[in-house]
Structure formats: C-alpha cells, structure tokens
Amino acid sequence: MTEETNEELERFRRQWQEEVTARTKAGSSIQHIGPRPEARHISNAKLAHSTRAPPAPSTVYDSKTDAEVEALEGHDPAAYHDLEDKDERRRLGDHGAGVHPNNDQMNEPQSALEHYEKAVERENMGSLGDSLIHYRKAYRLDARVDQTYKNKHFPPSSFVSKSANPNPSNAAVTVPNPAHHSLHGPPAANASQLIASFASDILTGAAPPTEGSPSPPCPFASVPFEILIEILLRTAVLDVAAYVRLSLVCKRLAYLVSTEDRIWKRVCSGSEFGFAAMHYTFACHLDGMPLPPPSPTHTDPSTHLSHLNLSPHIPPPIPFLPLLPPHPTYAHLFQHHPRLRFNGCYISTVNYIRPGASSPTQISWNTPVHIVTYYRYLRFLRNGSCISLLTTAEPPDVVPYLLPEHLHAGHSGNLPSSVMRQALRGRWRLSGSPFDTPSDGIRLSASDTLPVSPAPKIQAAAGNRDEKELPGNLYVETEGPDAKYTYSMQLALRSASHRVGATQNNKLAWRGFWSYNRLTDDWAEFQLRNDRAFFWSRVRSWGSGA
C-alpha cells in the first residue's frame, strides 16, 4: 500500500513540474484551466487521512433570518389594487405569446439582487414563505445584497439634504432669521393658495403648432359657465374619480373642481357615491331579504299614500344634507366623513408563525417553523347585505367570484368558483349619519333581531344603540357555520395613511368579534391576536358596485 502511494505521489510531482515548466517557457499569464491538483480523483482509501477541515458555517443568513422572523408578527398586509381575472394573462394580446404564463420560467431570478427584489415583491403580496426562500438564496449569493438593493432603489441622491448653513444670506445677527430665504427661488405656496391663484384663469385653446399657423379649435373654451358647471356635475355623478382627474387638464378646471361646492354637495347627497347609499340601520335580514316596512302609527289613508312616488319617470328627491363642523366644505365632508366603498372589496392578510415538530424518524439540527397565511374578505353591497369569506386562497383566485350569484351550496370541487363554498351571507350598518343634526340624536330601529347582552361592547355589536355611538363604527352580522350560530363583527373606519392627500376611509380596524348561540342564548368573544386590519382594494370589473 505504501509503495503504491509513493508511486502516485512521484507521478503527481513529475506532472506538476512539467506543467510549471511549460507555463514558464511560454511566458503566458493565463492560469491553467485543467482540474486543480487537490480536486483530482482519488480513491476513498487514499482520502481517509485527509487533514482539511470543513468550512465554518456562515452566520450572515442566520442573523438575517432571526430579524425577518421577528418582523413577521408585526407585518402589515398590503392592499391589492385593481384586482382582475388572472386568466387575462393567458389570452393573446398585443404582445402575442409573450404574455403566456409559461414564459415566466424564463424570468427566474439569477443574481442575488434579483432574488432580493423577488423576495420584497412576494413579501408585499403577503406570501412570506416564498419571500423567505428568495431571501435565503440572495444572502447565500451575496451577504451584502441588502446594501446593493438600497443603493439601487434608494440612492443617496434621491434624498434632499438640508442646508447646514442656517443663515444663507449672511445677514447681520440683529436682522430676523433669514432661513426662509430659499437658495432655489421664492418659497412655494401651499395647495389652497395655489388653487386660489387660478381663480382669474380662463379656458384657452392650445398654442399654434407653428408660427403663423392658426390655433387649433377649442369648442370647450366657448361653453357658457352654466353649461360647463352642468357638464362637470353630470361627470361627477357618473364617476367622481374621473371628475377629480379633470383638475389635471388646466388651471381653470383645477379651480372649479376644488372650489365648486354645489357639485360636491350633489355628490355627498346622492346615492351613487355619497352618503345616501349608506345604511345607518339594518336594511335586510342575514340572507339579504329586505326588512318589512315599519308599521304606521296612525290610520289616516291620505298619509299612507303621501310618501309614495307613483310616477316612474320622476326620480326620488335628494335628501337635504346639512354642513356641520368640523367639515368646512362639502368636498371636505366627502373626503373625511366615514363611508363604505362598493367598487371594491376589503381584504385582510393574516400571517403568523407556528412552531413545528421534528420528525421522530429523522435526525435534525433545528426545529421547523411554519408560516401560516390566510385571508379574510368583506364585500359590502348597496342593498345593505354583505359577503364574508375566510380562506387560504389568494385574492386573484377569490375576487372574480366574490359575487352574490355564487352564494350557494352547489359548488363543485373542480370549479374555480368553489372557493365560495365557505362564504357567508350577512348585513351591515354604519354609525354617525351626516343627515342627522345634533338635536336628532341617534335614530333607533326595531329591526335588530339579536337580543341584549350585558357587555357594553356586545350590546353595540348586537345593534342595540342605547348608548352614544361614535361616527365611523361599522357593525356586521353574518351567518355562522350552522343555523344556530350568528357572527357579529364591530369594525372602525380608518385611513391607511396619514399623509396629506392620501386616500381616506380605506381601512377597517378590528374592535370586536363575537359569536351568538341562538339555542343557549350565549355570547362568546373571539380573540384577535393574529388578525390584521382590512384594506380596501378596487376591482375595476365591478364598476360602481352592485
């Protein structure tokens, strides 16, 4: 055995010397691309006495994993905006076969930065399991990939640094502080002052394309003011978002959209997008059937028919909407007073970590951790009913079927609409009607079917309005898993962002969740340890809502 080993070593030394001599004579700096000496094939018997130790495990990813796992419990779900049917990607569009989902396999991330970007994208969608896999691959390829990602998407040049000199004009100390003297021109006015400066502007056509040529025609500039206001009013009634986007056309329209309070009063009072579509008392049963009208308190036949509109061509009158503090204008009332949206759904993405157990038949160095993800969906309908769904299916698989016609028990397991098998019918109402004056108090209703409970919060959840209600509370009652149970949710309308100009009333925060047993007359409260708030997401295919 020793002689064979010596012969192998001598043969290796001679070959190594010949390679070194050949490289030296050639004078080339190119490294030898053949197999490395230490990587040559040697039998297992010859490698039994190897003295090379295995590399130490890297601690970069382990520390990153701990930070990521600690952040999972406080992870805020993101909204899913403009949700459409996922089958749209399978149709041949302007790009032909390039939009087919099978082509996504060619776009698999390769570098560490691509894996990190994919992980951030999956994390924003709520798929923490997939994001954790891409984070792991990214840090294995580059331990400082997070700095590379930060330098690419958030370079230092994108942040405006403040001037270190508080006295840019070098004025005397006795002069008031001239820090407001901008180095880049006069200070910019705020939004209200900027809009007010557009009051004297008029509608003008486009400039001539070339010198000496006539200006393009602009019929809109010759429209009388009264007709222009009527056009804007009809646009706001059809689509209030399109009406607001008209402010981007010119300064004159920006001034009218922001300051014409008559249009905003019609939007607030109407049932298209305003508060006339809100229900401040329950309007239907849990199954969506309308409640019977209240019984009359007097027997005069003329009074029974006085409130009826017998002409089908005359629309119902628009209710009077008073303007009360703290809303100075109807535009402010429409933007800030709590109201629900019917052209989308509210989605709550819930992620939590559950410790697992190692297999008793395998040797493992660590304990597995399960990342559990599920979703809650709420869609509110104009007739006072709603749809509630708890499922693990992602929004692209659920939203196209979150419709009233799919609320039935005949779903097959092979159909895409089978995700609605566990959907529950329900009803909803808001508190704090803007149509009520302070002297009116709280309007009571006899349509509440749930009994009174001793707990004050459960009283509010049951619809008993004996106490003062705060504006913005949302009460939802849904069916239970069987006929003897009823679920009751209490939510609060909030805003996801507090930035100036951000979308308002697009978040539903939890206040309580109860279950009522009709047979035993008992209430049970659910713990909301892992549940997260609902965020509104628009669905374009629903239009203005059903």
Side-chain angles (χ1 to χ4, degrees):
M1 183 69 180
T2 305
E3 295 178 358
E4 296 179 358
T5 304
N6 294 336
E7 293 177 0
E8 182 71 21
L9 291 177
E10 288 296 333
R11 191 182 306 109
F12 169 74
R13 290 193 187 98
R14 287 195 301 271
Q15 184 178 1
W16 178 75
Q17 290 177 358
E18 292 175 359
E19 293 176 357
V20 172
T21 304
R23 288 200 303 268
T24 304
K25 291 181 179 180
S28 174
S29 61
I30 302 176
Q31 297 182 357
H32 182 59
I33 61 174
R36 297 173 59 185
E38 59 270 22
R40 295 182 180 276
H41 178 69
I42 305 176
S43 61
N44 294 335
K46 298 176 182 178
L47 293 177
H49 301 284
S50 176
T51 59
R52 182 179 179 182
S58 175
T59 59
V60 176
Y61 173 71
D62 295 336
S63 61
K64 184 65 179 181
T65 304
D66 295 338
E68 293 295 334
V69 171
E70 291 177 0
L72 291 180
E73 297 182 357
H75 176 74
D76 290 335
Y80 299 83
H81 296 286
D82 297 339
L83 295 171
E84 297 296 340
D85 191 354
K86 66 176 184 179
D87 293 336
E88 291 291 337
R89 300 181 58 198
R90 298 186 174 93
R91 301 172 184 173
L92 295 179
D94 297 336
H95 302 283
V99 300
H100 197 275
N102 292 339
N103 295 335
D104 293 343
Q105 299 177 358
M106 303 175 59
N107 300 327
E108 286 295 327
Q110 302 295 333
S111 63
L113 181 59
E114 291 177 356
H115 279 289
Y116 197 91
E117 292 173 343
K118 189 71 173 180
V120 173
E121 177 185 352
R122 299 300 296 173
E123 184 179 2
N124 291 335
M125 296 176 60
S127 300
L128 298 186
D130 295 342
S131 67
L132 204 58
I133 293 175
H134 288 285
Y135 277 131
R136 179 181 302 171
K137 293 180 180 179
Y139 278 100
R140 284 179 176 175
L141 296 174
D142 184 6
R144 297 180 59 84
V145 65
D146 54 339
Q147 295 295 331
T148 307
Y149 177 84
K150 181 179 179 181
N151 295 334
K152 176 182 178 181
H153 296 275
F154 306 99
S157 58
S158 61
F159 300 95
V160 180
S161 59
K162 296 183 179 180
S163 176
N165 184 12
N167 190 4
S169 58
N170 297 324
V173 179
T174 56
V175 179
N177 186 9
H180 63 279
H181 297 171
S182 175
L183 300 177
H184 306 282
N190 55 27
S192 59
Q193 294 176 352
L194 184 63
I195 293 298
S197 64
F198 300 158
S200 58
D201 292 343
I202 59 175
L203 290 173
T204 57
T210 59
E211 185 179 357
S213 60
S215 301
C218 182
F220 203 60
S222 59
V223 174
F225 179 76
E226 294 78 7
I227 299 179
L228 177 61
I229 294 299
E230 185 66 22
I231 294 175
L232 297 179
L233 175 61
R234 293 178 180 270
T235 304
V237 171
L238 292 177
D239 189 354
V240 66
Y243 167 69
V244 175
R245 286 195 296 268
L246 285 176
S247 60
L248 304 176
V249 176
C250 62
K251 296 181 180 179
R252 179 59 176 171
L253 290 182
Y255 177 78
L256 293 177
V257 169
S258 301
T259 61
E260 192 58 41
D261 223 26
R262 291 176 293 178
I263 299 178
W264 285 111
K265 181 179 180 180
R266 171 61 179 85
V267 173
C268 292
S269 304
S271 59
E272 297 82 7
F273 302 95
F275 301 101
M278 302 295 108
H279 296 280
Y280 299 97
T281 57
F282 288 121
C284 62
H285 296 285
L286 293 180
D287 57 359
M289 299 301 294
L291 291 171
S295 57
T297 57
H298 40 270
T299 59
D300 189 359
S302 61
T303 58
H304 292 178
L305 301 177
S306 59
H307 65 283
L308 297 179
N309 184 11
L310 302 180
S311 176
H313 303 288
I314 301 178
I318 299 176
F320 172 73
L321 181 61
L323 190 60
L324 301 174
H327 306 293
T329 61
Y330 283 100
H332 189 275
L333 174 66
F334 181 78
Q335 295 172 2
H336 295 87
H337 194 81
R339 61 183 177 87
L340 290 177
R341 302 170 185 266
F342 303 111
N343 56 347
C345 63
Y346 294 82
I347 304 176
S348 172
T349 304
V350 183
N351 296 292
Y352 68 93
I353 299 176
R354 180 174 62 85
S358 302
S359 176
T361 60
Q362 297 180 358
I363 299 177
S364 178
W365 291 98
N366 49 17
T367 302
V369 176
H370 301 287
I371 302 177
V372 183
T373 302
Y374 65 91
Y375 304 88
R376 290 185 182 272
Y377 300 88
L378 276 177
R379 184 188 178 184
F380 301 97
L381 305 177
R382 291 181 178 271
N383 62 348
S385 62
C386 65
I387 303 174
S388 175
L389 177 61
L390 171 64
T391 179
T392 57
E394 296 185 355
D397 300 324
V398 176
V399 171
Y401 307 101
L402 206 62
L403 304 172
E405 51 265 26
H406 292 294
L407 291 174
H408 56 83
H411 291 285
S412 174
N414 299 326
L415 295 177
S417 60
S418 61
V419 294
M420 295 292 293
R421 186 185 297 109
Q422 303 297 330
L424 303 176
R425 297 180 177 89
R427 61 180 183 174
W428 62 272
R429 72 171 182 90
L430 274 173
S431 64
S433 173
F435 296 97
D436 294 339
T437 59
S439 60
D440 294 337
I442 301 173
R443 297 189 297 181
L444 302 179
S445 174
S447 62
D448 300 321
T449 58
L450 297 183
V452 178
S453 176
K457 285 188 176 181
I458 298 181
Q459 285 185 3
N464 302 298
R465 290 173 290 278
D466 295 335
E467 298 182 357
K468 181 66 176 178
E469 292 179 348
L470 297 176
N473 287 344
L474 175 65
Y475 303 95
V476 181
E477 296 179 4
T478 64
E479 301 171 333
D482 50 43
K484 70 176 183 178
Y485 288 105
T486 300
Y487 292 152
S488 181
M489 293 181 281
Q490 184 177 353
L491 306 163
L493 273 167
R494 297 290 185 265
S495 298
S497 176
H498 298 285
R499 295 182 291 104
V500 178
T503 305
Q504 304 292 321
N505 298 320
N506 59 347
K507 176 182 176 181
L508 292 178
W510 282 98
R511 298 197 62 185
F513 192 12
W514 299 270
S515 173
Y516 173 67
N517 191 329
R518 296 176 179 271
L519 299 181
T520 61
D521 195 17
D522 292 333
W523 286 88
E525 185 173 2
F526 295 106
Q527 300 297 325
L528 302 174
R529 181 180 59 182
N530 297 319
D531 289 89
R532 297 293 182 264
F534 292 85
F535 292 88
W536 176 77
S537 299
R538 181 187 177 189
V539 182
R540 293 183 177 179
S541 59
W542 292 352
S544 60

